[in-house]
Amino acid sequence: MSTRERIIEAAARLFSRKPYSKVSVEEVAREAGVSKGAVFHYFKSKLELAEQALASFLERLVAAPLRAILASRAPFEEKVGRMLSLAIGVTLRSDVKALLFLTSVYEELGAGGGGSSLGGSTRSTLGFSPSS
């Protein structure tokens, strides 16, 4: 795993434990085993790091499995069933704190003026065009 990926994973773990506003860049650096300077080498700001952590979380949990379903040669009805199973499975399997991470980061960043950027990042992760 690259240093950048370690930082993103550390941020996602910390953001899943406590609100975005309560996580410092220093904590992320400690959790990732890197310096604070290394965090800023890869990310311009805490906001950018949070967006990447959220995008990574969504990619792994939702977008990649959804793309696999859509790309399959299964009949339409089977794809719909698989998508429903994915949605239910994500909800049942996911740690409640991890789901709260999605909600709290989105709300806090939206309230802080980062929502438009975050929304675009989230849409692109899920494969939607800006006009969707």
Side-chain angles (χ1 to χ4, degrees), residues 13-74:
R13 281 192 304 275
L14 289 169
F15 292 138
S16 72
R17 291 183 206 145
K18 55 186 179 177
Y20 168 82
S21 61
K22 303 292 184 189
V23 175
S24 70
V25 173
E26 292 85 2
E27 286 177 280
V28 173
R30 261 194 315 276
E31 180 84 11
V34 300
S35 68
K36 182 178 173 182
V39 173
F40 285 115
H41 172 74
Y42 291 99
F43 304 97
K44 295 176 195 168
S45 64
K46 181 179 156 185
L47 173 63
E48 183 182 332
L49 174 58
E51 288 176 338
Q52 288 300 306
L54 179 57
S56 175
F57 185 84
L58 288 172
E59 172 64 29
R60 187 174 56 252
L61 199 64
V62 179
L66 183 59
R67 280 194 303 273
I69 291 168
L70 294 173
S72 76
R73 297 177 89 57

